[in-house]
């Protein structure tokens, strides 16, 4: 179906004081499921509500309350699994992960340790044209999110809001197939894109709806290949887990900083301790989360409140049959159907809104020209005003109209830009604007000849100079364009000027 | 498996249950009795026997994705020893 021939990106090596080192990275991405209600209660998932207003007694862990699973959240997890070409487990089960924290009133998180709903899948992470890393997904399991603690409202107290408590999360666990900070960021970007296409997570990192734990270890060149051959982790270094990052930039910085820390330890004869660390972007360092270490004994056991989750193959098939076109497929289709470059197709398929906009513009028109206009003019203009594609004052029909006029030769590229600006700021139908404001390109050679004659007659001195220096013909072309208000066809003007000057 | 006093103290700490030093030996002994019983159960051959997850055959109950609950801030906070501005207020916990 897809032509996905690619080569693996070069592995980044980091020079230590003594040796070169390579990075090995695995990720756990927590993606908040897009749903109306929580995973096990009927409270809303709405972000930004009054504190503790989206809380049911189940979420608050009142005695005697029992969890009842939200079927749509299960469907979303299955959809995500299918989107990552993963195995769907028809039987999965919930376990309790026990730890104490003020924002976890139950004293445990309901999760899926032993029997996750989704098994092995994959994500193709592009790192440029024809270069990509295939990152294997180990599993996806469903679990409850915790609440939110706010530490800066009082000097001695932490404030706890349980609105997020019990919202469904998908934890997407990758294999250690990521080999550098840029790849790590690209992996999260691609995963986010797929989730947004599927509509299973909005990917809003600022609100914490997508966050990543990054497992970083380092090894000497050659060791990773031994691991890949045998899948034996003893060939790799000891890993540290950097928790809870919600920015692509911080993910990259944290990996760089952590790798350097581990290299310094190993090269001075020390040993890396497996532990959970936190990245501090202000100080540019990672530091140990000692409190987490102590709580690391989670004493998992099957949740006695919940029967195993059994789903039917037919239900999974229905979800599979209704999967939307995914980013890789859309990109391949844009390249094939519209003749776009790999780069343009990537830009236009980055999100669904841009892709839909482009398709509406390109429908029945010159695809490459449409891509140029959407990417260079429209995106450029929107970016200047910090607008999203969904806030574009120019509709696809309007932009399509402008492109139609260019293709027909009714307007020049220069006029088209002016027209675009008019449509962007004032609105209106491009065809009508061109008519009423007399912006149509003059291709009538008679009219152009008259204009050229006038310029030549008015500037005898320049004519003499041009005969000695033919480059001056450009000056005449410029004058004619000016005299015609930019509406003359530049190629035609050039030709006529050359002829009249006898060059 | 045998539980010593240190392990008993650790389990108590993880469960946030306060156990006085002099109560630990008895606690450890009780743990060992329980674990001994479980070891005895482990002797039963259950190869090929599906785990029994329910006494009567049942399917996990599902709910529809509809908001049916919430908007009861006062009730949710009513048992909190300290609540301010709609939040639970707890002694500072910061990494």
């Amino acid at each position: 179906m897809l032509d996905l021939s690619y080569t693996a990106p070069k592995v980044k090596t980091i020079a230590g004081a003594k040796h070169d080192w390579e990075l090995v990275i695995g990720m756990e991405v927590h993606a908040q499921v897009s749903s109306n209600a929580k995973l096990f209660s009927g409270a809303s998932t709405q972000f930004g509500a009054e504190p503790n207003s989206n809380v049911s007694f189940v979420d608050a862990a009142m005695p005697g309350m029992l969890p009842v699973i939200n079927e749509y959240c299960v469907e979303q997890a299955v959809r995500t699994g299918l989107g990552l070409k993963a195995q769907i487990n028809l039987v999965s089960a919930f376990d309790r992960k026990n730890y104490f924290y003020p924002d976890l009133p139950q004293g445990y998180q309901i999760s899926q340790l032993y029997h996750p709903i989704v098994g092995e899948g994959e994500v193709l992470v592009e790192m440029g044209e024809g270069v990509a890393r295939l990152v294997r997904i180990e599993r996806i399991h469903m679990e409850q999110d915790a609440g939110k603690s706010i530490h800066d409202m009082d000097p001695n107290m932490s404030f706890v809001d349980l609105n997020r408590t019990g919202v469904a999360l998908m934890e997407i666990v990758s294999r250690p197939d990521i080999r550098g900070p840029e790849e790590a960021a690209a992996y999260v970007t691609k995963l986010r894109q797929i989730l947004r296409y599927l509509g299973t997570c909005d990917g809003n990192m600022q609100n914490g709806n997508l966050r990543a734990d990054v497992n970083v270890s380092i090894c000497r060149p050659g060791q990773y290949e031994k691991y890949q051959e045998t899948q034996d982790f003893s060939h790799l270094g000891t890993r540290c887990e950097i928790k809870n990052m919600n920015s692509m930039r911080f993910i990259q910085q944290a990996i760089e900083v952590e790798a350097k820390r581990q290299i310094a330890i190993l090269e001075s004869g020390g040993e890396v301790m497996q532990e959970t660390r936190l990245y501090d972007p202000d100080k540019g360092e990672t530091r140990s989360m000692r409190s987490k270490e102590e709580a690391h004994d989670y004493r998992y056991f099957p949740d006695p409140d919940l029967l195993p989750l059994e789903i039917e193959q037919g239900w999974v098939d229905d979800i599979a049959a209704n999967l939307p076109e995914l980013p890789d497929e859309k990109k391949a289709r844009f390249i094939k159907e519209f003749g776009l470059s790999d780069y343009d197709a990537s830009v236009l398929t980055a999100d669904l809104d841009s892709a839909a906009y482009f398709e509406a513009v390109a429908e029945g028109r010159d695809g490459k020209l449409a891509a140029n206009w959407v990417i260079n003019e429209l995106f450029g203009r929107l970016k200047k005003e910090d607008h999203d594609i969904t806030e574009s004052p120019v509709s696809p029909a309007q932009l399509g109209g402008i492109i139609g006029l260019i293709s027909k030769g009714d307007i020049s590229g220069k006029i088209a830009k002016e027209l675009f600006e008019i449509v962007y700021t004032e609105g209106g139908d491009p065809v009508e604007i061109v008519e009423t404001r007399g912006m149509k390109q003059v291709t009538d050679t008679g009219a152009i000849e008259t204009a050229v004659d006038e310029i030549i007659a008015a500037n005898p001195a320049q004519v003499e100079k041009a005969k000695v220096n033919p480059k001056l013909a450009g000056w005449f072309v410029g004058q004619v364009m000016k005299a015609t208000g930019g509406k003359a066809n530049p190629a035609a003007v050039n030709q006529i000027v050359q002829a009249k000057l006898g060059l | 498996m045998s539980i010593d006093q240190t392990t008993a103290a650790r389990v108590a700490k993880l469960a946030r249950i306060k156990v006085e030093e002099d109560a630990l030996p008895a606690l450890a002994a009780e743990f060992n009795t329980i674990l001994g019983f479980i070891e005895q159960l482990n002797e039963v051959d259950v190869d090929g026997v599906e785990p029994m997850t329910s006494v009567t055959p049942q399917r996990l109950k599902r709910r529809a994705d509809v908001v049916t609950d919430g908007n009861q801030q006062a009730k949710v906070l009513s048992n909190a020893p300290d609540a301010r501005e709609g939040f639970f207020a707890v002694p500072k916990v910061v990494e």
Side-chain angles (χ1 to χ4, degrees), chain A residues 473-484:
Chain A
W475 181 84
F476 284 91
V477 174
Q479 292 300 307
V480 175
M481 293 306 288
K482 209 160 147 191
T484 57

Side-chain angles (χ1 to χ4, degrees), chain A residues 35-37 40-43 51-53 55-57 68-72 100 102 150-151 154-162 291 294 297 299 307-310 312, chain B residues 10 13-16 53-54 58-73 75-77 79 82 84-95:
Chain A
S35 67
N36 298 319
F40 294 114
S41 88
N52 293 304
S53 61
V55 181
S56 81
F57 292 144
V68 180
I69 198 163
N70 181 334
E71 187 160 39
Y72 182 68
F100 275 96
I150 299 160
H151 305 295
D154 188 281
N156 306 310
M157 308 296 274
S158 288
F159 284 16
V160 179
D161 174 10
L162 300 182
S291 60
E294 220 173 58
D297 189 346
R299 294 149 293 143
L307 287 164
L309 173 59
E310 293 179 49
E312 290 73 39
Chain B
R10 179 173 155 74
K13 191 182 177 206
L14 285 171
R16 296 300 190 277
T53 52
S54 170
Q58 282 185 67
R59 184 173 184 262
L60 178 67
K61 254 208 165 59
R62 275 94 155 142
R63 69 162 70 238
D65 185 32
V66 180
V67 176
T68 55
D69 211 339
N71 288 317
Q72 45 176 357
Q73 191 196 61
K75 280 188 185 168
V76 165
L77 295 172
N79 292 314
D82 191 358
R84 302 178 200 177
E85 293 168 62
F87 293 94
F88 291 92
V90 300
K92 195 120 186 147
V93 270
V94 77
E95 288 296 339

Side-chain angles (χ1 to χ4, degrees), chain A residues 136-187:
Chain A
R136 293 170 300 160
I137 301 296
E138 185 182 319
R139 57 189 280 161
I140 304 175
H141 60 258
M142 282 185 285
E143 61 185 24
Q144 298 174 300
D145 206 345
K148 213 170 157 183
S149 302
I150 299 160
H151 305 295
D152 56 6
M153 284 177 71
D154 188 281
N156 306 310
M157 308 296 274
S158 288
F159 284 16
V160 179
D161 174 10
L162 300 182
N163 280 349
R164 211 178 58 187
T165 305
V167 170
L169 294 181
M170 298 177 281
E171 179 170 329
I172 304 166
V173 184
S174 87
R175 299 265 183 208
D177 291 352
I178 301 162
R179 306 301 315 282
E182 298 80 12
E183 283 183 35
Y187 166 74

